[in-house]
Amino acid sequence: MAGSSDPVVLEDYLLAEDAPLLEEMAEEDEEIDLYNDMTFGLDRDSMEEEVAKAPAPQDKDPEPSPMDKSIEEGTVMEEDESKAVEEPGPEAEEKPSILEEMDEAEEEHEGEPGTQLEDYGDMEEEGELGADEHEEVEVEVEEEEDEEEEEEDEQEEGEQQHHDDGDSKEQNDLGDPAVMRAVHGKPTLESLDSAVVDSSIGSSWEGYKADDLVLADVWSSSPGSIPSHRMLEQSPMMPRSLYSPRPFTPPRRASPLFTPSQSSEYTSPMPFRPMSPNIRTPTQPLGMRFGPMSPSLDPSLFFSPSAGLQGKFSVPSHMTQLHPQHQRILNQRQQRGQVQSISPKKPWSSKADPYAGLMTLKEKDWVIKVQMMQLQSENPHLDDYYYQAYYHQLERKQAEEELFGGRSKQEPPKLVTPYIQKMETHDSVVRIAGSLGQVAMSTCYSPRRAIDAVHHVLLEEAVGNQRLRALDRIEKMFLQLLDVEETQRKMTLAPEEQHPRFQEKKSHEVGRIFHTLKTGACGSEEEAEDEFLQVLCVRKGKKLTARLLPHLTREQAEGILVAITRHLPFLMRKDVLDESLPVLYGPLSEMVGKMTFSELIEVLQELTRPLPDSLELPLTMALKNQFGISLLYSLLSHGEKLLSSDVPLEPHSGDFEKWTDTVFLVARELSQVPKTSLVEPLVLPSNLLSLFCRYLDKQTIHRLEVKMECASLPSETAMLC
Amino acid sequence: MNYMPGTASLIQDIDKKHLVLLRDGRTLIGYLRSIDQFANLVLHQTVERIHVGKKYGDIPRGIFVVRGENVVLLGEIDLEKESDTPLQQVSIEEILEEQRVEQQAKHESEKLKVQALKERGLSIPRADTLDEY
């Protein structure tokens, strides 16, 4: 029987894990069963007869496909024995009022042949049904209905069934004992024209709103409409343990029928086609269940907007014993009707999607888990640098804003990638001691290694391209540098005790990099062969050096500075295209700021040493280069700062002379260099003029001032000089 | 419920109407029902839309399971804006006919081009499929 088969059918589609939802379904099943009992109670007698006569058709009854078959049989029988039908007119079939409602909607919009994708639900309903099977049903159903048939129909039906002994009531009930009565309706456009997929697009269901309310009212207000005799009858045919003699109440749950996600409701693949809306007898026992009935029943029709349908749907005045699912639909429609009027623009709201939630939460979580697995890393800051850096910045900005704004902002959603301590590494090749070969132990993460290829060729032995070699070295050093910075970062995050350990590791690494950087630098005089200088010729090499400088020890950093200043003309010449020397300025100036006077003098000596192959002093050349002039200024500024401070300088012998010589030299060069070739430095120290003031006359200073374009300093110089 | 913030994930797109462009040039429109880690897609109530000029035609296809590697791009369709399109929908037969005509015209011009090149002693190898490796 249809009732007993409900849980079976539905649970076929439900996943075992959806326990709470299953519970819900079970609940509903109970109600359905109860409902069926009451609906079919009248038929008990006839059914018994039927059982005696033709058990076969009944067995097939609840299943969808035999269902169709029985419908077909019914229709076939119907056609053959139409004469034998006693009922007036072709109202041998009775359909649930749900179908009737859809008939109304459909009739309304027969003239819309265009399939619009808005009403996908419609299309789906249509598509899923074998067009053949239901066309016939509809033809039967949609023939004209002449009179209202209500409860009297059931009695008639009973009688009729008695009368129609010979044809085992197939003619009336489509071969389904669950069917009380099948009625004919108007032929739908779909049935007449197979090209039309859905003729009810955009049908208005506003008319139904009122009707729903009425239905609901009728339902709630007239429980007595349920024939009492039904309730009290116990059907021996349907052993229902939960049959309770209570009035059939609408489902307790007000849950939306179609929750967008995680709805366990699985609509059977046999929804009903929209029927002709021209129903004048909508009050058939509304809940005729044709096997596993889909609660959707083309819900798109329920929720389509647009005006038009004006109460063609006459209110059932008799008992409206609704199928629980139908009741639920009505309730929701009622609720949504109000919402609908507010937002009439939503033709296909997600609430109405019966196929929503096919992908359960568990499955979604699984996919996400798989995706997250791919994000595992030991060092997310390194592997996922851009994401991490971006979110750090975002959080910092938000913190700032919070500080200023004083209001608490919510955290930006941040994906916390799984940070694992150590990634499992799989060696795809296992060497067993004493064996002759390699045993392959491959997983999907580490597939079988075909060739044990080891890169034996050293780069130095390779065909020498100096630049390539330099690039290769830069890359290697950069990786080491990133390691160093990572260690630094970890150190700042780690507790105090662990600092020395990190520090040691870091300095070791830094030493290695420095060694790599400066290898061969001291050797040859040929600048082009100097590896360090080669590295510096590349922009990335400069960046590397700049980033490395803060980590170096003082001696190491000084060595770098001396080397740079010694070869400044060379570097400047090589940098004409790139113009990336300024990247070194920051760290170098910082370093300069920590130098002693003697060291400073040493460095300045490099700049003032005349070059063998050029008339110009490096100093002069520096003035024409942004980096050069900036470096020079920073050196001078630091010297001035040292001199003007009270810190004892501990100069070596001859330092001061060299210093003054340098200053004079600079002043001379500055005044001699034409203004046009003088480049603006990155940073103009403010104490330069005071430096000059110390040694030079006013006139020169004025000239220099003009040259150097320090507009902000006049007052200072006026003060000092 | 925001799965995986800061990432591109199809989880948020489930049960929404999408337009999917495949590598072979087909355009599918359907409700995205299920995905997996390879971005294999399950499309429901799928319609294959053929565009020729200002016209288009829809062929209902049912349920599609698309292997992820064949997807070029996909995007959600705004149901409210879906209908304001300057394109005109025509029947399937008509659009197929239009497509055939368009293909023929392309073929003809291609033939002429190849002929012209041949006369000048040049030969450009044709890409037989859309994918060129």
Side-chain angles (χ1 to χ4, degrees):
Chain A
M1 298 298 293
S4 58
S5 70
D6 292 333
V8 171
V9 172
L10 286 166
E11 278 161 30
D12 284 345
Y13 300 106
L14 294 171
L15 300 172
E17 308 87 277
D18 298 323
L21 302 164
L22 266 178
E23 220 174 10
E24 241 183 28
M25 299 292 330
E27 223 177 26
E28 180 164 274
D29 288 342
E30 291 177 1
E31 285 170 346
I32 292 172
D33 295 331
L34 185 59
Y35 170 80
N36 286 334
D37 281 355
M38 293 191 279
T39 319
F40 303 141
L42 201 58
D43 260 349
R44 206 169 28 90
D45 301 334
S46 52
M47 276 190 233
E48 283 170 353
E49 269 187 69
E50 197 186 344
V51 166
K53 282 185 192 126
Q58 286 170 25
D59 293 342
K60 310 180 269 170
D61 160 37
E63 300 312 316
S65 44
M67 188 63 249
D68 300 343
K69 198 167 163 228
S70 60
I71 293 172
E72 283 184 83
E73 282 175 14
T75 55
V76 166
M77 295 291 286
E78 178 61 42
E79 283 158 12
D80 292 341
E81 292 157 73
S82 52
K83 289 171 193 165
V85 176
E86 286 198 7
E87 282 190 36
E91 303 161 328
E93 294 181 1
E94 186 178 69
K95 283 286 189 194
S97 65
I98 302 160
L99 298 175
E100 292 152 4
E101 290 161 9
M102 284 188 281
D103 289 349
E104 267 195 69
E106 194 174 79
E107 188 195 48
E108 174 81 354
H109 301 274
E110 283 176 10
E112 294 187 33
T115 35
Q116 300 186 17
L117 292 174
E118 290 176 0
D119 289 6
Y120 251 38
D122 307 336
M123 263 191 69
E124 172 269 321
E125 311 294 343
E126 268 64 77
E128 295 225 329
L129 300 175
D132 317 318
E133 296 163 11
H134 293 271
E135 251 177 45
E136 291 161 358
V137 168
E138 286 172 10
V139 167
E140 303 305 325
V141 166
E142 279 120 8
E143 283 167 84
E144 301 300 322
E145 288 177 300
D146 292 329
E147 53 182 294
E148 303 222 345
E149 294 169 343
E150 287 120 53
E151 34 183 43
E152 59 185 33
D153 297 338
E154 284 138 22
Q155 270 130 26
E156 269 189 43
E157 175 86 353
E159 293 164 12
Q160 194 185 340
Q161 280 154 12
H162 287 294
H163 290 301
D164 298 332
D165 292 352
D167 54 346
S168 37
K169 78 173 199 171
E170 279 185 29
Q171 61 185 65
N172 291 329
D173 307 89
L174 317 173
D176 180 4
V179 176
M180 293 286 288
R181 183 206 326 268
V183 294
H184 294 289
K186 228 177 93 168
T188 54
L189 193 62
E190 279 88 304
S191 56
L192 299 175
D193 179 8
S194 62
V196 173
V197 175
D198 175 35
S199 62
S200 63
I201 290 169
S203 65
S204 151
W205 290 85
E206 283 172 33
Y208 290 97
K209 274 184 284 175
D211 300 321
D212 299 342
L213 289 168
V214 176
L215 278 175
D217 284 346
V218 169
W219 180 248
S220 53
S221 66
S222 57
S225 64
I226 305 164
S228 53
H229 65 271
R230 286 194 185 181
M231 286 169 40
L232 299 172
E233 282 165 353
Q234 291 272 357
S235 168
M237 297 273 301
M238 297 184 279
R240 281 277 89 105
S241 55
L242 23 102
Y243 189 97
S244 58
R246 55 178 169 86
F248 189 75
T249 53
R252 292 180 287 281
R253 289 160 284 116
S255 56
L257 180 60
F258 309 113
T259 15
S261 58
Q262 295 111 45
S263 166
S264 73
E265 279 194 350
Y266 186 93
T267 60
S268 78
M270 198 189 73
F272 284 100
R273 284 178 131 206
M275 303 303 189
S276 159
N278 185 21
I279 304 299
R280 270 168 279 147
T281 59
T283 62
Q284 322 310 331
L286 298 171
M288 294 319 274
R289 287 212 70 231
F290 278 55
M293 189 165 80
S294 148
S296 63
L297 303 170
D298 216 7
S300 67
L301 300 177
F302 296 169
F303 306 110
S304 313
S306 90
L309 202 54
Q310 308 289 331
K312 274 192 188 180
F313 187 56
S314 46
V315 178
S317 56
H318 283 265
M319 83 95 193
T320 51
Q321 186 176 8
L322 298 177
H323 192 274
Q325 288 167 327
H326 182 207
Q327 184 60 46
R328 196 162 0 107
I329 296 169
L330 291 177
N331 285 341
Q332 279 136 21
R333 221 196 300 161
Q334 177 188 337
Q335 294 163 15
R336 235 160 316 196
Q338 286 120 33
V339 177
Q340 215 64 34
S341 50
I342 303 166
S343 60
K345 273 211 87 179
K346 277 233 167 101
W348 177 246
S349 124
S350 60
K351 297 178 200 166
D353 191 0
Y355 289 87
L358 272 173
M359 195 174 184
T360 64
L361 188 61
K362 265 196 122 190
E363 288 163 359
K364 289 185 188 171
D365 286 343
W366 182 86
V367 171
I368 287 169
K369 201 176 9 151
V370 170
Q371 291 176 333
M372 291 289 264
M373 257 170 55
Q374 298 162 2
L375 298 179
Q376 281 177 352
S377 99
E378 268 181 63
N379 189 352
H381 199 87
L382 189 68
D383 295 331
D384 198 10
Y385 170 75
Y386 294 102
Y387 182 89
Q388 304 283 342
Y390 172 68
Y391 267 96
H392 276 321
Q393 216 177 26
L394 201 65
E395 281 167 0
R396 233 180 295 138
K397 241 184 262 174
Q398 291 223 330
E400 274 174 28
E401 267 181 46
E402 231 180 284
L403 234 59
F404 290 138
R407 54 199 157 90
S408 66
K409 280 197 136 207
Q410 67 261 79
E411 285 260 320
K414 175 172 181 169
L415 176 68
V416 182
T417 53
Y419 168 62
I420 55 174
Q421 212 50 42
K422 181 162 180 8
M423 295 245 267
E424 316 151 28
T425 45
H426 306 261
D427 252 343
S428 61
V429 169
V430 173
R431 291 173 203 275
I432 301 174
S435 72
L436 273 179
Q438 306 167 359
V439 179
M441 212 176 60
S442 39
T443 69
C444 66
Y445 299 106
S446 59
R448 184 168 168 275
R449 203 193 316 172
I451 305 170
D452 208 6
V454 178
H455 189 68
H456 285 293
V457 180
L458 297 171
L459 198 54
E460 284 79 0
E461 293 162 5
V463 175
N465 184 346
Q466 283 193 347
R467 190 174 167 84
L468 276 182
R469 256 187 272 151
L471 292 173
D472 184 63
R473 281 173 64 230
I474 290 171
E475 291 302 324
K476 287 204 181 83
M477 285 191 284
F478 228 107
L479 289 172
Q480 291 172 323
L481 175 67
L482 288 173
D483 260 342
V484 166
E485 289 184 346
E486 190 55 39
T487 316
Q488 176 72 36
R489 214 190 322 270
K490 281 190 195 153
M491 193 169 83
T492 52
L493 294 171
E496 280 292 329
E497 317 75 71
Q498 292 177 11
H499 278 203
R501 184 167 60 89
F502 281 116
Q503 193 64 45
E504 192 192 312
K505 183 175 169 210
K506 200 186 96 170
S507 44
H508 176 73
E509 275 296 316
V510 167
R512 272 181 57 199
I513 304 173
F514 186 72
H515 181 75
T516 320
L517 192 62
K518 290 287 267 168
T519 311
C522 355
S524 64
E525 282 297 321
E526 182 62 54
E527 272 175 343
E529 286 186 13
D530 186 337
E531 287 185 358
F532 175 54
L533 290 180
Q534 277 170 21
V535 163
L536 278 182
C537 289
V538 183
R539 187 195 306 204
K540 194 159 184 182
K542 295 188 190 99
K543 281 208 187 131
L544 169 73
T545 316
R547 276 171 78 163
L548 183 64
L549 271 169
H551 301 288
L552 291 172
T553 63
R554 276 209 53 213
E555 296 78 30
Q556 292 167 327
E558 240 184 77
I560 299 238
L561 178 62
V562 166
I564 289 176
T565 41
R566 185 175 301 162
H567 302 279
L568 193 59
F570 173 75
L571 287 173
M572 291 193 296
R573 204 168 54 231
K574 289 285 180 178
D575 192 50
V576 167
L577 287 171
D578 253 348
E579 291 184 16
S580 53
L581 270 175
V583 74
L584 285 165
Y585 175 74
L588 282 178
S589 63
E590 267 188 51
M591 222 217 76
V592 161
K594 297 175 198 153
M595 288 199 330
T596 66
F597 195 65
S598 320
E599 289 160 353
L600 189 67
I601 300 297
E602 246 185 80
V603 172
L604 281 170
Q605 290 296 100
E606 300 289 341
L607 279 175
T608 52
R609 190 184 308 153
L611 292 171
D613 48 353
S614 162
L615 288 173
E616 265 190 336
L617 282 178
L619 186 69
T620 326
M621 289 178 8
L623 290 175
K624 298 176 191 159
N625 181 286
Q626 192 180 42
F627 171 70
I629 198 172
S630 318
L631 186 62
L632 177 67
Y633 281 2
S634 72
L635 289 166
L636 291 174
S637 159
H638 182 63
E640 169 62 21
K641 201 170 76 182
L642 285 174
L643 284 173
S644 52
S645 73
D646 294 328
V647 177
L649 289 174
E650 297 166 16
H652 297 158
S653 60
D655 271 353
F656 278 116
E657 291 79 23
K658 289 180 194 160
W659 170 250
T660 40
D661 284 343
T662 312
V663 175
F664 276 118
L665 197 57
V666 169
R668 198 187 74 199
E669 292 300 324
L670 260 177
S671 44
Q672 281 179 0
V673 158
K675 201 157 186 243
T676 45
S677 46
L678 193 67
V679 181
E680 187 140 342
L682 293 161
V683 174
L684 186 63
S686 51
N687 54 2
L688 279 183
L689 274 178
S690 44
L691 166 67
F692 289 135
C693 277
R694 206 189 279 267
Y695 299 102
L696 304 167
D697 57 292
K698 256 196 206 175
Q699 252 191 350
T700 327
I701 289 168
H702 279 302
R703 258 187 304 161
L704 287 177
E705 196 185 323
V706 167
K707 268 279 178 67
M708 281 161 51
E709 295 175 338
C710 6
S712 53
L713 299 182
S715 54
E716 213 180 310
T717 50
M719 256 169 49
L720 292 166
C721 307
Chain B
M1 203 171 19
N2 193 6
Y3 293 97
M4 311 247 290
T7 62
S9 175
L10 286 173
I11 292 286
Q12 306 292 336
D13 288 348
I14 294 261
D15 291 334
K16 296 190 182 141
K17 194 162 178 189
H18 280 74
L19 183 144
V20 181
L21 184 64
L22 301 180
R23 267 170 45 181
D24 63 357
R26 277 189 279 183
T27 306
L28 301 178
I29 295 175
Y31 285 85
L32 185 63
R33 292 297 175 197
S34 188
I35 57 155
D36 70 354
Q37 68 268 35
F38 307 109
N40 294 334
L41 315 170
V42 172
L43 293 172
H44 184 220
Q45 296 169 357
T46 319
V47 148
E48 180 183 337
R49 186 165 286 187
I50 301 177
H51 289 272
V52 179
K54 286 270 183 186
K55 304 186 188 160
Y56 70 91
D58 288 342
I59 308 174
R61 295 290 194 191
I63 299 178
F64 254 81
V65 175
V66 182
R67 188 178 167 93
E69 67 170 330
N70 293 304
V71 174
V72 172
L73 53 88
L74 65 108
E76 189 185 336
I77 291 180
D78 187 340
L79 294 165
E80 291 175 21
K81 297 187 184 162
E82 196 183 0
S83 33
D84 347 313
T85 166
L87 306 173
Q88 175 208 1
Q89 180 165 23
V90 297
S91 72
I92 299 171
E93 293 81 19
E94 195 179 329
I95 201 70
L96 287 171
E97 177 61 28
E98 295 257 352
Q99 193 184 41
R100 191 189 62 78
V101 167
E102 189 190 46
Q103 295 286 61
Q104 206 166 17
K106 222 190 278 185
H107 189 69
E108 293 292 334
S109 70
E110 183 73 28
K111 237 175 37 175
L112 288 173
K113 245 194 277 182
V114 168
Q115 184 64 29
L117 286 170
K118 210 160 76 165
E119 286 167 4
R120 288 157 179 80
L122 301 165
S123 80
I124 295 178
R126 265 174 22 119
D128 280 345
T129 60
L130 221 55
D131 293 318
E132 298 180 39
Y133 289 95

